Amino acid sequence: MKVIPPVCPEPDSGPQYFRSPEALADSPELREWAEKEFPAGASELSAAESRRDFMKLMSASFMLAGFGLTGCRRPTEHIYPFGKQPEGYTHGVAQHFATAMPTRTGAVPLLAKSSDGRPTKVEANPLHPDQAGTDQFVQASVLGLYDPDRAQYFRKNGSIAKREEALDALSVLGRKFAANQGQGLAIVAESSSSPTRTRLQAAIAAKFPNAVWASYDAVDSSIHARAASLVTGKSVQPYFKFNLAKRILSLDCDFLGGEDEMYRYTRDFAKGRKIAKADEAKKDDLINRLYAVESLMTLTGGNADHRLRVAPSQVAAVAAQLAAEVLKQSGSSLSFDIAALAAGAKVDSKWITECAKDLVAHKGAALVVAGQRQPLAVHVLAHAMNEALGALGKIVELHPASSPAKSLADVAGAETIILLGANPAYTAAEVWSQVTKTAKTIVRLGYHEDESASGVAWHLPAAHYLESWGDARTSDGTVVAIQPLIAPLFGGLTESEVLARLAGTNSSAYELARETFASLTGGVLDEEKWKKFLHDGFLSGTRSTAVSASFDRAAAAAELAKAAAPKAPSKGELEVVFHRDYSVDDGRYTNNGWLQELPDPITKIVWDNAVLLSRETAAQLGLKNGDVVAISAAGRSAEGAVWIQPGMADFTLGLALGYGRKWGRIACLDKFSVGFNAYPLRVTGVGFISGVSVKATGRTHQFICTQDHWTLHGRPVVREANVDQYLAKPDFAKNFDLDAHTDYLVKNPDGSIKNIYEHPYKTHPKLASQTHQWGMVVDLNACTGCSACVIACQSENNIPIVGKDQVAKGRELHWMRIDRYYTADPKKKQQGGMIDAFLSNAAGTQGNPETVNLVERDELQATKKWIDDPQVVTQPMMCQHCESAPCESVCPVNATAHDDEGVNVMAYNRCVGTRYCANNCAWKVRRFNFFDYNKRPIGGGKLASDLFSSNIGLYKGPLGNRPGDEIDLVTMARNPDVTVRMRGVMEKCTFCQQRIESAKIAQKVKAGASDDVQVKDGAIKTACQQACPADAIAFGNLLDPKSKVSLLKQHDRNYTVLGFLDTKPRTTYLARVRNVNPAMPDAKIWSLEEYKDVTHSDPMKGHGHAPEGDKKGAKH
Amino acid sequence: MSAAAEHHVPSSVKIAPPPAELERQPLVLQNRSIGWISDHIAGICEGPAPKWWLPALLMSVSLMTMMFGCIAYLIATGVGVWGLNQPVAWAWDITNFVFWIGIGHAGTLISAILFLLRQKWRTSVNRAAEAMTLFAVACAGIFPLIHVGRIWYALWWLPPIPNNYGIWPQFRSPLLWDVFAVSTYGTVSLLFWYTGLIPDLATMRDRATSKVKKFLYGLFAFGWTGSNRHWSNYEKAYLLLAGLSTPLVLSVHSIVSFDFAVSQLPGWHTTIFPPYFVAGAVFSGFGMVLTLLVPLRTLCKLEDIVTVRHVELMCKVILATGSIVGYAYGMEFFIAWYGGNPYELAAFKNRAFGPYWWSYWWMISCNVISPHLFWFKWCRTNMVFVFIVTIFVNIGMWFERFVIIVTSLHRDYIPSSWGYFKPTWVDICTFVGSFGLFMTLFLLFMRYLPMIAISEVKGVTPQADPHHPMGGAKHGGHH
């Protein structure tokens, strides 16, 4: 509508102003003219009630009538910008702080990312002299900070109390016990390397000399220090340097997975496995060689070149045999009376002699390690061998250790117990109930209100390390800073604050850490030093100095004399190994969804633990996968379901600790879904027990396994060879699969296959970026399969957990997975080796048993003899970023496309979810949001094993309700740089696009007017690459010929998975090279033998073809 | 009728009828008059509904409602209510889509190709078959729409309109080709069916007893008077549409087969798919036509119009196309072996002997064995037997699509990602419910529209030939 100027009100008196004589006269001519000129508003000139008047009147009358609409306004919420921007803060730019995550044996030096004040990601601190990447627990610790089931309140006898009251109560306790020298006071703490703890422990010992200080860990690594102290006569702990060893013998030591410090051991081990080039001169010293003697199939056994499976009790006997042989062959002056100990084990004597021979041949570069589960005698034998092999003091560096503390049982009789962190009511229920019988007051500092929280007088919420001030020592002794990235979310306390209150000071954790720092740096706090300490995250020059010590033969012999010859287990008297779980440790991470959903690196089971046993044991006991059994030994018992695990020692059950919890939204989804509790069967602190019997209960349990299929079927997805084969034919990896048979195809001048339809980037080179082309190389020789990368990816890319029922349906969302295959003698595979009992079962579930030899069935594989002694290969698998990506051409809406830098990108906003891309991906790395996983409540999910069950609990659609605390807390862990995907959207690895972009922006800012916009090599690390302790993943710019990734792609071991599809993936792999000792029994690379057997071609000859003239051999 | 026909023909000029052994079997039995045909076919709509009709409709509507309920649940909650997973990202959804699209093929084949080939027997089955085509396409169209994760965006982004960033749909994607192929097919089929209906709608209008009926039939009859000019235009239009539809019969299922053939999945990536899919579609389409018509001809007493000979002819088509399908199954295996691609060979071995072996053998027994029973005349002429066999054909063809989609997906290149698919109750109810939709539409069609093309059937009766002894207007009957 045309707006006409308002009519000037005419004053009643005084002069009258007019625009024209017509206006003054208000003549009909003027009215007519006005109608013409302002037809829409003309009436306003004359009408008594204009539209505006009407509106005014109506609104006034509505208000009078009480229809005022003011009440419908949104509530006023004022937001204020920073009045003053905090220093160094730019909105949207993350800040990084050095800190450290304390562990049982030390700490992991970290660089934590803070996004707008929330810690969202942790990486290894690159400045730290002994940094070694991270492990899955460190990566998942970020989620632990935002666990909605954390202890959130100070509780006095169960009811909520004030923080001040609790602190006062601690002071009162301190004053009370100061009066009687601490009589009746006991403090139970987990092991810690913190200098502040050491200082406060000393202060408490001085103030309360009669108090008991006990150290308790459910999985105790202190045996390493005890053994080293025993054989040297000094208080020392071993510091293993795997990178110096060319030959390694592990005596049930899962140093690549189950042992503390595995991330550091993995780094050092992988260093010894990497191959720069095919150096003929080095022969089989090109890489190290690992012998593993173990009962469980562990990551270490999976990476071993030779693996001997023996029951846990028999490790001592094997160790004795090996020690005897090593001492004999090395001509060492040491000798022990261990013939009786050695007698029991029935193992191939060739294994023992050849292994010993190889170790002795590498004297000075050979290392023997004994596992935390094994008794002192095995450790003593290991040290004896190390001494004979010249490793003790060199490869096994000895660092000073603190003297051992008292044990949990010593607390018995105390009137007041201060329990710091540990959860003995769950992990050592028997001992704990004994201990607490007489205790009147228990004060517990706990991260969760879990089993140990019941019946305590005071429960204090513990602060997460990302919200605490503190300090620690990494395993090499370097002091590292623990600084908070956020104020304690629930006002939790640190251990040091509790101890300080007891000791009579009111210092905060910050003050305590500073006091300790002052004492470490000469007594007076130097602010500049402190700032540097916090900035760098560590105090340089505090590394432990090695202690020189000599081997005390007499002490060792005395310990060995105590060891009895173990009896071999049998069907009636089984043995049980209790192991630290790869996902939940000793149970401390049971409520962490990322870890629960992380497939076990070996079994690939999620959200569960299992009774692992060998095929032979299962056959003899008449058990099959999923059977629930009651396990009992000497009046103790536990109940769990059976899983047949390749490579398990016979008559040995493997029970992972830490499951079967009764609280927590994640830890206790329902009574079946989070495994069973193995602790009741365990004698506190031991690694294994004997004389166990098993009885089937008749019930079954469904395991959820992300990889049902064990064998490679001879498919050259993973390519391996032995060192000698590799040296003879360094480019063997290029001679596999159909792409080795391309002689007849037309080639480009550079040797690549000429396509019928060339990629647009080739025909229009200007389309592609001339600055960056991204690519990745994964070194399969370095990858141990530890899976830290999987969690790192989950943390970086906001990947939700989907819950057990969804994984059961095959809907896990992990962008990268670690594929694990078992390989074995192909002839053994064809032998069948079926167990009749399984046939009837298999027929009922998976079909026709007549055809089992034609196609491998998932259930039947567990019954075949070949799985007894498999070789294991692992392979990280994520989006391959094909240059001619098959996913892109089939997407009807252009939601997945190529960017000019060669990355296959997802436009989530455009994705409508046809899932065609996933179908057309040969690597099956695309993941689909079948539900709105981010909006689903965490707990309460039942497993929908029933075909018709819809009551899966985890997602109720738009009608579902998610508790507010979950939204508030869990979303804080999200990376603001990455989109949170909704349902119906496909997602996958993006090469951490957000990191690429931020590095490019940073480089552009740096370049300024200059043209130097190419990101420098190493400036971008993908999340998986950064987390990898083995440094197995390289990422970078392929246009930079000197970049690490370019150099690796030139490597003769470089190959493409499914390269024959000619999609030209940007992710390639370096073939695996094992170092199998030809003198040992079964010295073959089974995956290679399988390939040869299936395809009748030999990659070690020519170009994958069989010898000339053998037409049959060329058949594929 | 032209006036000339009314003249008496001198007996000397009269041509003697051909000897009995040369006489073609009449298409309408019992020498039914033109009037009888009109009365009988229109009577199905005009008379009281048969006793079975209302219960059948109620059941169909309930099933249809169940399907829409499932769809509402699916869209509200997420595609995860189906049993899909990684690696089986398509399962019953696309199986059902291809199944229904295949069913739709018989109608167009009968109406278009047989028309062009002057197969006069088509007249008594084409209307019902075309209607079936339309309803099958409607059922088929539902599945690709609801199978997507975010249907609200799919409706926005699939039509070929560039968005404000200038992004068009991806024309390289077979899914987009599907959008065009199926919508073209649906549109042309509808036009073809409707064009054929016009003279009959006029008949219905003329016979209508109530004003509402008269108005509605009249509205849709477009003022048809049966004038020469109308007939001339009608015949031209019908011929043109038949010409247009003929390539569509081949193109639609060829393009649907590209959904698979264009991918790189072993078991999908084969060049045999387009002809094999078309043959399979005709096979399944005729199976469904017979499944519907065999009981209907008895229930509606149409034995004289839809004769045993009609059924027999359609059985022969089933036999022919079933043999092509069987040949394709064999050839797939041969090529998998002869092609020398170990991944493809493994995929086919897995089909027959893998975890889904039962579905493969269901498919083989239904599709390869059952049609070959039609070599025997008894089997082709026994209506109960034909009905049972066509049911097996329908089952077999559903399993064919299931086998192709699910067994290829569940185990492909990399063994670590192999999986297994199990349907949920939502999968099952949605599929069963789609039969409800199909049957609802068909029951409404048979009750309110002439199920058989009255004018066309009349056109192939001897009475329609003015030179026939019984021809001309002398025996009465009206158009």
Side-chain angles (χ1 to χ4, degrees), chain A residues 19 115 153 184 247 291 383 460 462 581 643 673 711 733 783 825-826 873 924 946 985 1089 1101:
Chain A
R19 289 180 186 168
S115 306
Y153 303 104
R247 294 294 179 267
Y291 297 90
H383 283 306
L460 320 171
D581 189 75
W643 182 259
S673 64
T711 161
C783 174
D825 190 344
V873 288
K924 289 287 174 282
D946 178 13
V985 172
E1089 298 302 315
K1101 290 178 193 155

Side-chain angles (χ1 to χ4, degrees), chain A residues 126-139:
Chain A
L127 294 176
H128 190 280
D130 200 27
Q131 74 87 10
T134 52
D135 61 18
Q136 67 274 35
F137 303 123
V138 176
Q139 288 296 336

Side-chain angles (χ1 to χ4, degrees), chain A residues 22 97 247 316 319 469 577 754 785 790:
Chain A
E22 291 85 356
F97 298 94
R247 294 294 179 267
W469 280 103
V577 192
K754 194 172 175 67
V790 179

Side-chain angles (χ1 to χ4, degrees), chain A residues 160-178:
Chain A
I160 297 172
K162 282 185 185 155
R163 190 175 197 262
E164 291 70 27
E165 269 181 75
L167 290 170
D168 287 347
L170 284 172
S171 304
V172 170
L173 272 179
R175 282 197 293 277
K176 177 184 156 197
F177 284 104

Side-chain angles (χ1 to χ4, degrees), chain A residues 706-709 711-713 715-717 737-738 757 809-812 817 819 821 846-848 851 854-858 877 886 888-894 896 908-916 918-924 926-928 930-932 945 947-950 955-958 982-986 1057-1058 1060-1061 1063 1116, chain B residues 73-90 93 147-155 157-158 163 167-176 258-265 268 337 340-343 346-347 349-350 352-357 409 411-420 422-425 428:
Chain A
T706 58
Q707 191 183 340
D708 299 328
H709 223 73
T711 161
L712 275 163
H713 289 283
R715 296 185 176 187
V717 175
D737 220 356
L738 299 178
Y757 167 69
K809 292 193 169 197
R811 295 171 180 172
E812 62 273 17
R817 59 176 200 256
D819 290 343
Y821 302 99
Q846 278 232 5
N848 184 2
T851 58
L854 278 166
V855 177
E856 192 85 19
R857 270 176 222 299
D858 298 337
M877 184 55 71
E888 289 171 15
S889 60
V890 298
C891 173
V893 293
N894 265 322
T896 185
Y908 299 121
N909 283 343
R910 272 192 77 77
C911 180
V912 300
T914 67
R915 304 182 297 284
Y916 197 173
N919 289 340
N920 209 25
C921 174
W923 297 264
K924 289 287 174 282
R926 290 180 154 263
R927 294 288 174 264
F928 188 67
F930 284 94
F931 290 123
D932 238 342
S945 53
L947 184 69
F948 293 99
S949 169
S950 65
Y955 183 74
K956 293 191 179 71
M982 76 173 294
R983 73 178 158 100
V985 172
M986 191 60 75
V1057 174
L1058 303 177
F1060 72 93
L1061 292 173
T1063 61
H1116 237 302
Chain B
Y73 178 52
L74 173 97
I75 292 173
T77 309
V79 186
V81 299
W82 287 340
L84 303 172
N85 58 28
Q86 302 289 350
V88 188
W90 287 349
D93 45 0
H147 97 286
V148 299
R150 304 199 296 176
I151 187 169
W152 48 96
Y153 286 129
L155 296 173
W157 282 327
L158 281 175
N163 76 353
I167 304 173
W168 289 82
Q170 159 77 278
F171 290 108
R172 286 185 296 166
S173 171
L175 290 186
L176 196 69
F258 289 162
D259 285 353
F260 310 106
V262 165
S263 82
Q264 60 169 357
L265 196 74
W268 284 12
W337 167 78
N341 183 333
Y343 297 93
K349 273 189 189 168
N350 182 52
F353 306 113
Y356 284 110
W357 64 274
L409 279 173
R411 288 187 169 182
D412 64 341
Y413 290 101
I414 297 186
S416 70
S417 57
W418 292 1
Y420 197 79
K422 278 185 206 160
T424 63
W425 65 268
I428 296 166

